[in-house]
């Protein structure tokens, strides 16, 4: 254990400095959330102590009554949040609230800069809650000692939020942390017993540790059940009230829990300020027994795409907090789920690593996954509006389930929603079931098209014949869709078929007369096709006549087993090698430009026009030209010629 030499002054990193500056000067709404954040940290510290004490109960130092205390001093103008949780060593203080920015700092700064209301409420999810102390304080002092260290190894940290902080060793007999806020002159209103109690009840009622406040003279607790009163031992012992409910919500019977309580608890475990979209509370019994209280949020957390994201489902064993957020508890594609699971079967006194290998954890993960599916299926069936909100926010994540979770592929497939040519709207609200129910009489396949964007997919030249014949096509434009369709081969016995791959085979949907006409044209255009192919050389595999186009003169088609063009682009952008696949150029025999090409006698103009038709086909599906300058030169030649 290193000790600090004297009092040291250190500087915060620029980002932390900017964050503190914002806290101090520009957060106007919901200022009182600083209390929620500091209480949440105290509660986490209490959780950690209880967990570590399972293996080493010496950490309790003879005092196993863990609690959070809030006191204030009107004369000194201070508000103090104390806990006798795990505390911090000097290194931990430095690492957790010292120089370096934590991972959410930048994201929080950005979200605040975008937020007109400058709402402090946002802070919880970014993992920088400690600094919210500076919303109401112009100086913050933190005294802390890690449980198990000697009283002389405690630390005093202090900062006025001006870019630097000081650190020094102090003596602190009680383990844990005191956060002392020296309130700004205009925030003195917080030094009020009633206001503090009501703020605690509003934001921290479901913190599972007692939050204590000194009984003020003549104060009667408002509600009986709000807390147990401690009987006075003698007149001068301070008497504390428990201000919050301090019970684990999930252990109570469903029938006794109100919607408000469920929502309030979500805000605590989900680090969110908005209400959740839906929840499920269930007790599972069987080989293993456990209780789950799981929520689907309304909004995506900032770190949804971050591999080191912080939050997830919290695992408790007989009400003792063990770990949070691990992929051992929820599949990756359900990473938006928040809440708790409390097991009776897992051993308490093992490391997290061993716990992760326990078969019960696997069983719990399966059980919870099933519960989330039931919840989503229920929403999809009974509350389309809510399900749409869910899909718009987390649909792209759920789609990963098709790829990752073979066992649940069908269940995920039923929950999928797409845009389609049916409504031609960007809103993804078409289920595969709905698509199948609308399939034309002799239609065998579920058709889709991939595009770089919704607009690109919607205007894809390959759709022309489908629109003409009134056949619905799914419009896919999320990146993950490329992988999705390589894993989802069929639904309800119907194959999924790209409209941009292979020869157009509409099966029995095809008109016999159309087919014969096309064959006739293949013959008529034979010379032309050979000439175009010769001119384009290596760029195409084949040139042929098509009936899939009505408005466009040309399009490109991939082979049945080739990578799609957009998939190739994605892979190339990711720096991966792609096979050198050539594609087929198809020409629309009834388009005037193709007619002109047929009658063109000037060799230069023929060459320019066939290159331009090839380039157009590439551009209109969202592709990029290898040599744009050449295209411009040829086009200009034609325009002037
Ligand atoms: P978060 O709680 O999301 O990690 P915070 O900014 O609220 O982010 O806290 C930063 C870190 O500081 C915590 O993760 C914890 O390690 C440490 N910390 C803050 N308050 C306490 C406390 N009362 N006791 C022990 N550690 C604390
Ligand atoms: Mg915190």
């Amino acid at each position: 254990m290193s000790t600090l030499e004297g009092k040291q002054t250190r500087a915060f990193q620029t980002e932390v400095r900017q964050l503190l500056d914002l806290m101090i000067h520009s957060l106007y709404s919901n200022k009182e959330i600083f209390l929620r954040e500091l209480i949440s940290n105290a509660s986490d510290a209490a959780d950690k102590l209880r967990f570590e004490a399972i293996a080493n109960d010496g950490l309790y130092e003879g005092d196993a009554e863990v609690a959070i205390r809030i006191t204030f001093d009107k004369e000194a103008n201070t508000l103090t949040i104390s806990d006798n949780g795990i505390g911090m060593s000097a290194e931990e203080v430095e690492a957790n609230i010292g120089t370096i920015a934590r991972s959410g700092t930048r994201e929080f700064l950005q979200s605040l800069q975008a937020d007109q209301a400058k709402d402090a409420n946002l802070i919880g999810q970014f993992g920088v809650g400690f600094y919210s102390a500076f919303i109401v304080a112009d100086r913050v002092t933190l005294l802390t000692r890690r449980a198990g260290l000697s009283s002389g190894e405690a630390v005093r940290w202090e900062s006025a939020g001006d870019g630097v902080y000081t650190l020094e060793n102090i003596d602190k007999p009680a383990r844990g942390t005191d956060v002392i806020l020296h309130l700004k002159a205009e925030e003195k209103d917080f030094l009020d017993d009633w206001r503090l109690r009501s703020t605690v009840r509003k934001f921290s009622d479901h913190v599972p540790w007692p939050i204590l406040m000194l009984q003020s003279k003549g104060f009667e607790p408002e509600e009986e059940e709000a807390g147990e009163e401690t009987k006075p031992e003698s007149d001068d012992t301070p008497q504390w009230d428990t201000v919050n409910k301090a019970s684990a919500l999930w252990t109570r019977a469903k029938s006794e829990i109100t919607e408000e309580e469920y929502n309030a608890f979500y805000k605590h475990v989900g680090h969110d300020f908005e209400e959740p979209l839906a929840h499920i509370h269930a007790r599972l019994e069987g080989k293993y027994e456990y209780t789950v209280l799981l929520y689907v949020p309304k909004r995506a957390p900032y770190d949804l795409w971050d591999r080191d994201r912080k939050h997830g489902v919290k695992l408790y064993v007989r009400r003792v907090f063990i770990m949070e957020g691990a992929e051992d508890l929820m599949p990756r594609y359900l990473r938006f789920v928040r809440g708790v699971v409390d097991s009776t079967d897992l051993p308490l006194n093992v490391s997290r690593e061993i716990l992760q290998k326990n078969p019960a954890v696997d069983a719990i993960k399966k059980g919870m996954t099933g519960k989330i599916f039931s919840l989503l299926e229920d929403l999809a069936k009974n509350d389309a509006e809510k399900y749409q909100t869910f899909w718009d926010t987390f649909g792209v994540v759920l789609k990963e389930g098709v790829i990752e979770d073979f066992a649940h592929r069908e269940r995920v497939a039923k929950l999928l929603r797409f845009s389609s040519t049916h409504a031609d709207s960007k809103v993804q609200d078409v289920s595969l079931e709905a698509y199948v129910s609308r399939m034309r009489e002799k239609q065998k396949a579920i058709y889709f098209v991939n595009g770089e964007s919704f607009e690109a997919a919607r205007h894809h030249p390959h759709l022309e014949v489908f629109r003409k014949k009134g056949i619905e096509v799914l419009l896919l434009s999320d990146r993950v869709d490329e992988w999705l369709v390589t894993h989802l081969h069929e639904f309800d016995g119907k194959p999924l078929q790209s409209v941009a791959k292979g020869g157009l085979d509409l099966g029995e949907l095809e008109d016999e007369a159309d087919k014969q006409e096309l064959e006739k044209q293949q013959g008529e255009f034979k010379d032309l096709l050979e000439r175009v192919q010769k001119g384009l050389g290596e760029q195409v595999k084949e040139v042929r006549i098509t009936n899939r186009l009505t408005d466009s003169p040309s399009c490109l088609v991939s082979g049945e087993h080739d990578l799609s063009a957009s998939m190739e682009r994605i892979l190339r952008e990711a720096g991966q090698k792609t096979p050198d696949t050539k594609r087929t150029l198809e020409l629309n025999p009834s388009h005037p430009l193709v007619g002109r090409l047929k009658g063109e006698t000037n060799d230069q103009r023929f060459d320019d026009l066939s290159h331009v038709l090839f380039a157009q086909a590439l551009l209109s599906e969202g592709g990029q030209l290898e040599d744009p300058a050449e295209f411009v030169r040829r086009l200009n030649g034609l325009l002037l010629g």
Side-chain angles (χ1 to χ4, degrees):
M1 183 81 247
S2 62
T3 45
L4 298 155
E5 275 173 40
K7 184 167 174 170
Q8 305 194 0
T9 301
R10 296 179 188 176
F12 291 113
Q13 205 189 33
T14 319
E15 272 175 9
V16 183
R17 208 177 297 181
Q18 291 170 338
L19 179 69
L20 291 180
D21 200 58
L22 265 172
M23 294 284 181
I24 294 170
H25 300 294
S26 28
L27 290 181
Y28 303 114
S29 18
N30 293 308
K31 289 184 169 190
E32 70 274 22
I33 64 94
F34 77 90
L35 196 57
R36 175 188 76 188
E37 292 303 322
L38 297 177
I39 289 173
S40 148
N41 286 349
S43 167
D44 291 348
D47 280 341
K48 284 182 201 156
L49 174 71
R50 186 165 54 177
F51 180 73
E52 287 192 23
I54 295 165
N56 172 14
D57 72 357
L59 291 178
Y60 281 129
E61 302 174 3
D63 171 21
E65 267 180 47
V66 182
I68 300 161
R69 288 181 157 77
I70 300 176
T71 52
F72 60 94
D73 181 337
K74 280 193 166 164
E75 262 149 51
N77 211 6
T78 57
L79 172 61
T80 302
I81 293 93
S82 301
D83 66 72
N84 56 351
I86 193 72
M88 284 181 273
S89 66
E91 286 86 356
E92 286 168 327
V93 171
E94 179 78 346
N96 296 331
I97 53 179
T99 318
I100 309 291
R102 295 164 63 81
S103 66
T105 309
R106 172 171 303 152
E107 287 85 352
F108 181 55
L109 274 174
Q110 283 165 352
S111 82
L112 270 186
Q113 277 152 2
D115 175 34
Q116 292 302 314
K118 300 283 179 240
D119 193 338
N121 233 332
L122 295 167
I123 202 169
Q125 55 165 321
F126 292 100
V128 290
F130 174 77
Y131 298 126
S132 67
F134 288 96
I135 298 173
V136 293
D138 49 24
R139 186 154 54 92
V140 176
T141 312
L142 174 137
L143 313 174
T144 188
R145 175 168 72 75
R146 199 178 206 287
L149 295 182
S150 69
S151 71
E153 289 176 293
V155 189
R156 180 175 193 275
W157 175 101
E158 188 169 79
S159 176
D162 51 0
V164 296
Y165 61 96
T166 59
L167 269 187
E168 66 186 307
N169 265 121
I170 52 158
D171 196 70
K172 185 177 184 294
R175 69 158 188 269
T177 305
D178 304 333
V179 179
I180 305 162
L181 310 178
H182 307 268
L183 295 187
K184 295 178 192 170
E186 66 272 24
E187 306 296 349
K188 281 186 187 148
D189 293 355
F190 280 105
L191 304 176
D192 176 87
D193 189 76
W194 184 85
R195 177 150 192 210
L196 288 169
R197 282 171 194 259
S198 58
T199 310
V200 168
R201 287 210 190 94
K202 180 167 166 203
F203 290 117
S204 310
D205 214 19
H206 297 289
V207 167
W209 298 98
I211 300 170
L212 308 178
M213 285 186 67
L214 278 174
Q215 221 176 73
S216 53
K217 269 210 179 69
F219 176 81
E220 296 291 332
E222 278 174 51
E223 295 165 60
E224 273 294 300
E225 79 257 280
E228 307 130 36
E229 285 171 62
T230 324
K231 290 278 163 277
E233 280 156 27
S234 77
D235 274 344
D236 51 3
T237 6
Q239 291 173 43
W240 296 90
D241 296 320
T242 304
V243 184
N244 62 331
K245 287 215 177 62
S247 77
L249 186 77
W250 63 90
T251 58
R252 284 165 45 195
K254 259 161 121 169
S255 55
E256 288 164 18
I257 306 176
T258 65
E259 204 60 23
E260 284 72 35
E261 287 177 309
Y262 275 125
N263 289 348
F265 182 68
Y266 164 73
K267 291 179 184 173
H268 170 64
V269 290
H271 299 268
D272 199 351
F273 59 91
E274 260 185 325
E275 320 226 295
L277 191 69
H279 73 260
I280 189 157
H281 184 190
R283 192 175 162 68
L284 288 99
E285 283 162 1
K287 188 159 178 220
Y288 302 103
E289 270 177 34
Y290 52 100
T291 303
V292 296
L293 173 49
L294 302 175
Y295 296 88
V296 174
K298 253 188 212 146
R299 271 173 342 109
Y302 81 96
D303 54 358
L304 187 63
W305 300 103
D306 186 347
R307 288 218 153 253
D308 316 311
R309 78 200 140 266
K310 290 180 74 136
H311 301 301
V313 174
K314 290 186 168 188
L315 173 67
Y316 286 75
V317 173
R318 292 184 288 284
R319 296 203 211 177
V320 177
F321 172 73
I322 306 291
M323 64 177 182
E324 170 164 20
E327 267 166 35
D328 311 273
L329 292 175
M330 263 299 160
R332 253 179 56 78
Y333 64 92
L334 296 179
R335 59 185 177 271
F336 48 83
V337 174
R338 298 288 179 267
V340 302
V341 51
D342 193 343
S343 151
T344 34
D345 305 299
L346 288 169
L348 267 175
N349 54 350
V350 290
S351 72
R352 287 163 207 228
E353 290 69 33
I354 291 176
L355 202 57
Q356 286 165 358
K357 294 194 191 94
N358 191 300
V361 171
D362 236 25
I364 290 174
K365 179 176 176 178
K366 279 211 190 82
M368 291 206 290
T369 306
K371 283 286 161 204
I372 290 298
F373 273 111
S374 314
L375 176 65
L376 295 177
E377 283 156 3
D378 182 59
L379 273 189
K381 192 160 161 237
N382 300 314
D383 196 335
E385 199 179 316
K386 266 194 185 173
Y387 189 74
Q388 196 61 46
T389 307
F390 160 75
W391 183 262
D392 293 343
T393 317
F394 298 116
V396 283
V397 179
L398 190 68
K399 282 176 182 173
E400 295 170 12
V402 171
I403 300 152
E404 281 170 22
D405 191 351
F406 181 75
H408 288 102
R409 188 168 291 167
E410 233 156 85
R411 251 177 133 175
V412 180
K414 285 202 175 123
L415 290 168
L416 297 174
R417 296 292 182 271
F418 300 99
S419 296
S420 92
T421 52
H422 182 69
D424 241 359
S425 129
K426 199 171 176 171
V427 181
Q428 300 180 358
D429 59 359
V430 174
S431 68
L432 291 171
E433 272 161 321
Y435 180 100
V436 169
S437 74
R438 285 195 290 259
M439 274 168 66
R440 299 254 328 252
E441 206 180 312
K442 290 173 179 167
Q443 187 180 343
K444 296 270 179 343
I446 297 172
Y447 292 105
F448 66 87
V449 67
N450 286 109
E452 298 273 289
S453 63
F454 168 71
E455 288 303 328
R458 186 157 96 106
H459 294 128
H460 211 289
H462 290 122
L463 291 179
E464 290 172 9
V465 67
F466 290 87
R467 289 197 196 272
K468 189 173 131 201
K469 290 185 181 287
I471 304 170
E472 184 172 358
V473 179
L474 301 175
L475 304 170
L476 311 187
S477 55
D478 287 335
R479 289 223 137 183
V480 61
D481 290 337
E482 292 286 347
W483 281 274
L484 180 99
V485 293
T486 57
H487 286 80
L488 188 69
H489 302 293
E490 55 142 57
F491 179 80
D492 194 15
K494 322 267 184 305
L496 267 80
Q497 164 79 45
S498 164
V499 302
K501 278 189 180 179
L504 179 67
D505 179 12
L506 291 177
E508 293 169 46
L509 287 168
E510 201 123 45
D511 219 303
E512 212 30 58
D514 281 2
K515 253 190 201 161
Q516 281 171 5
E517 173 67 16
L518 187 67
E519 266 163 40
K520 203 175 113 219
Q521 283 170 331
Q522 294 285 11
E524 265 171 43
F525 280 77
K526 195 163 168 282
D527 290 347
L528 171 79
L529 297 177
E530 273 168 16
R531 218 171 138 204
V532 175
Q533 169 132 33
K534 216 164 136 211
L536 293 175
E538 287 301 290
Q539 297 187 81
V540 295
K541 184 160 117 200
E542 191 194 337
V543 183
R544 64 185 180 215
I545 288 295
T546 186
N547 60 354
R548 74 174 97 215
L549 299 173
T550 58
D551 302 332
S552 307
S554 59
C555 67
L556 286 165
V557 182
S558 305
E560 196 68 61
H561 303 289
D562 290 346
L563 288 177
S564 74
S566 32
M567 182 68 138
E568 259 187 43
R569 269 194 293 281
I570 291 176
L571 292 176
R572 239 179 287 131
E573 274 166 32
Q576 295 197 36
K577 268 217 167 86
T578 51
D580 200 16
T581 41
K582 281 184 280 182
R583 299 201 292 150
T584 298
L585 176 69
E586 292 191 342
L587 299 176
N588 173 2
S590 31
H591 196 281
L593 274 179
V594 177
R596 178 179 303 173
L597 190 65
K598 201 163 172 246
E600 184 58 67
T601 48
N602 178 311
D603 279 348
Q604 181 59 47
R605 289 242 293 271
F606 183 90
D607 198 42
D608 285 344
L609 188 51
S610 42
H611 276 88
V612 165
L613 288 179
F614 171 77
Q616 283 190 354
L618 196 57
L619 287 173
S620 55
E621 59 167 37
Q624 274 175 6
L625 302 176
E626 235 161 64
D627 189 348
E630 188 210 69
F631 168 71
V632 171
R633 190 173 49 72
R634 288 188 191 272
L635 187 65
N636 288 345
L638 289 169
L639 289 172
L640 291 170

